[in-house]
Amino acid sequence: MPLQEQLTSAAARGEAAGVEELLRAGAQVNGVNRFGRTALQVMMMGSSPVARLLLAHGADPNVADGRTGASPLHDAARAGFLDTVRLLVEAGADPEARDGARSLPVDLAKRNGHAEVAAFLEAL
Protein backbone atom coordinates (compact mmCIF):
# COMPACT_ATOMS: atom_id res chain seq x y z
CA MET A 1 0.00 0.00 0.00
CA PRO A 2 1.44 3.44 -0.92
CA LEU A 3 2.66 5.65 1.92
CA GLN A 4 -0.12 8.22 1.34
CA GLU A 5 -2.79 5.54 1.74
CA GLN A 6 -1.10 4.29 4.89
CA LEU A 7 -0.83 7.82 6.28
CA THR A 8 -4.48 8.69 5.71
CA SER A 9 -5.55 5.33 7.12
CA ALA A 10 -3.47 5.80 10.27
CA ALA A 11 -4.81 9.35 10.69
CA ALA A 12 -8.41 8.16 10.24
CA ARG A 13 -7.86 5.57 12.97
CA GLY A 14 -6.31 8.17 15.30
CA GLU A 15 -2.97 6.36 15.44
CA ALA A 16 -0.46 9.11 16.29
CA ALA A 17 2.52 6.74 16.49
CA GLY A 18 1.71 5.31 13.06
CA VAL A 19 1.26 8.79 11.59
CA GLU A 20 4.62 9.90 12.98
CA GLU A 21 6.37 6.79 11.66
CA LEU A 22 4.90 7.26 8.18
CA LEU A 23 5.85 10.94 8.07
CA ARG A 24 9.42 9.98 9.00
CA ALA A 25 9.35 7.35 6.25
CA GLY A 26 8.59 10.04 3.68
CA ALA A 27 4.81 10.25 3.46
CA GLN A 28 3.83 13.75 2.37
CA VAL A 29 1.74 15.50 5.04
CA ASN A 30 -0.35 17.30 2.38
CA GLY A 31 -0.34 14.41 -0.07
CA VAL A 32 -3.68 12.89 -1.02
CA ASN A 33 -5.01 9.36 -0.92
CA ARG A 34 -6.81 7.65 -3.79
CA PHE A 35 -9.95 9.62 -2.90
CA GLY A 36 -8.12 12.95 -3.16
CA ARG A 37 -8.14 13.64 0.57
CA THR A 38 -5.29 14.55 2.91
CA ALA A 39 -4.53 12.98 6.28
CA LEU A 40 -5.82 16.13 8.04
CA GLN A 41 -9.11 15.88 6.16
CA VAL A 42 -9.71 12.26 7.12
CA MET A 43 -8.14 12.21 10.58
CA MET A 44 -10.15 11.12 13.57
CA MET A 45 -11.35 14.61 14.55
CA GLY A 46 -11.31 13.78 18.25
CA SER A 47 -7.64 12.82 18.13
CA SER A 48 -5.75 15.91 19.26
CA PRO A 49 -2.39 14.09 19.16
CA VAL A 50 -2.86 13.26 15.47
CA ALA A 51 -4.01 16.80 14.67
CA ARG A 52 -1.07 18.29 16.57
CA LEU A 53 1.39 16.00 14.77
CA LEU A 54 0.04 16.66 11.28
CA LEU A 55 -0.09 20.41 11.86
CA ALA A 56 3.45 20.43 13.28
CA HIS A 57 4.60 18.77 10.06
CA GLY A 58 2.96 21.49 7.96
CA ALA A 59 -0.49 20.10 7.17
CA ASP A 60 -2.66 22.71 5.47
CA PRO A 61 -5.52 23.52 7.89
CA ASN A 62 -7.50 25.23 5.13
CA VAL A 63 -7.64 22.41 2.58
CA ALA A 64 -11.26 22.04 1.49
CA ASP A 65 -13.07 18.89 0.47
CA GLY A 66 -13.52 19.05 -3.28
CA ARG A 67 -17.07 17.76 -3.05
CA THR A 68 -18.50 19.60 -0.03
CA GLY A 69 -16.16 22.56 0.36
CA ALA A 70 -15.79 21.71 4.05
CA SER A 71 -12.43 22.31 5.70
CA PRO A 72 -11.10 20.30 8.65
CA LEU A 73 -12.33 23.18 10.85
CA HIS A 74 -15.86 22.69 9.52
CA ASP A 75 -15.63 18.97 10.29
CA ALA A 76 -14.24 19.47 13.81
CA ALA A 77 -16.84 22.15 14.61
CA ARG A 78 -19.68 19.98 13.28
CA ALA A 79 -18.52 17.08 15.46
CA GLY A 80 -17.94 19.28 18.52
CA PHE A 81 -14.24 18.61 19.12
CA LEU A 82 -13.14 21.81 20.86
CA ASP A 83 -9.50 20.76 21.30
CA THR A 84 -9.17 20.01 17.59
CA VAL A 85 -10.95 23.27 16.70
CA ARG A 86 -8.45 25.19 18.86
CA LEU A 87 -5.46 23.42 17.29
CA LEU A 88 -6.72 24.12 13.78
CA VAL A 89 -7.34 27.80 14.52
CA GLU A 90 -3.90 28.15 16.15
CA ALA A 91 -2.40 26.63 12.97
CA GLY A 92 -4.12 29.21 10.79
CA ALA A 93 -7.46 27.61 9.90
CA ASP A 94 -9.84 30.27 8.61
CA PRO A 95 -12.95 30.50 10.83
CA GLU A 96 -14.59 32.66 8.14
CA ALA A 97 -14.29 30.01 5.42
CA ARG A 98 -17.61 28.89 4.00
CA ASP A 99 -18.34 25.38 2.82
CA GLY A 100 -20.30 24.50 -0.29
CA ALA A 101 -23.58 25.19 1.53
CA ARG A 102 -22.24 28.64 2.54
CA SER A 103 -21.98 27.59 6.21
CA LEU A 104 -19.27 28.84 8.52
CA PRO A 105 -17.72 26.47 11.07
CA VAL A 106 -19.58 28.33 13.84
CA ASP A 107 -22.88 27.69 12.02
CA LEU A 108 -22.19 23.96 12.02
CA ALA A 109 -21.26 23.98 15.70
CA LYS A 110 -24.51 25.76 16.59
CA ARG A 111 -26.62 23.58 14.32
CA ASN A 112 -25.24 20.46 16.00
CA GLY A 113 -25.60 21.70 19.59
CA HIS A 114 -21.92 22.32 20.35
CA ALA A 115 -22.23 25.49 22.42
CA GLU A 116 -18.62 25.49 23.68
CA VAL A 117 -17.23 25.23 20.16
CA ALA A 118 -19.61 27.93 18.93
CA ALA A 119 -18.63 30.25 21.80
CA PHE A 120 -14.93 29.72 21.07
CA LEU A 121 -15.38 30.48 17.37
CA GLU A 122 -17.55 33.53 18.06
CA ALA A 123 -14.90 34.94 20.38
CA LEU A 124 -12.25 34.98 17.63
Side-chain angles (χ1 to χ4, degrees):
M1 179 186 302
L3 283 179
Q4 293 312 126
E5 296 296 328
Q6 292 177 51
L7 178 62
T8 54
S9 292
R13 291 190 303 269
E15 297 173 356
V19 167
E20 186 167 21
E21 181 180 317
L22 289 159
L23 288 169
R24 286 186 185 162
Q28 299 300 305
V29 74
N30 288 309
V32 296
N33 65 12
R34 68 183 181 274
F35 302 109
R37 303 196 70 210
T38 68
L40 193 63
Q41 288 177 295
V42 301
M43 75 174 194
M44 182 184 293
M45 284 297 155
S47 180
S48 297
V50 169
R52 193 173 290 110
L53 187 58
L54 291 169
L55 292 165
H57 279 83
D60 180 356
N62 291 304
V63 64
D65 183 283
R67 201 171 33 84
T68 66
S71 69
L73 185 57
H74 285 92
D75 295 336
R78 180 185 305 106
F81 291 113
L82 183 57
D83 288 343
T84 303
V85 166
R86 280 191 177 120
L87 288 169
L88 289 165
V89 169
E90 288 169 8
D94 181 4
E96 299 301 317
R98 293 189 180 271
D99 64 13
R102 307 289 303 144
S103 295
L104 296 169
V106 69
D107 299 331
L108 299 175
K110 288 178 181 179
R111 200 172 300 145
N112 288 282
H114 304 300
E116 268 189 286
V117 172
F120 171 78
L121 290 169
E122 287 177 325
L124 296 175

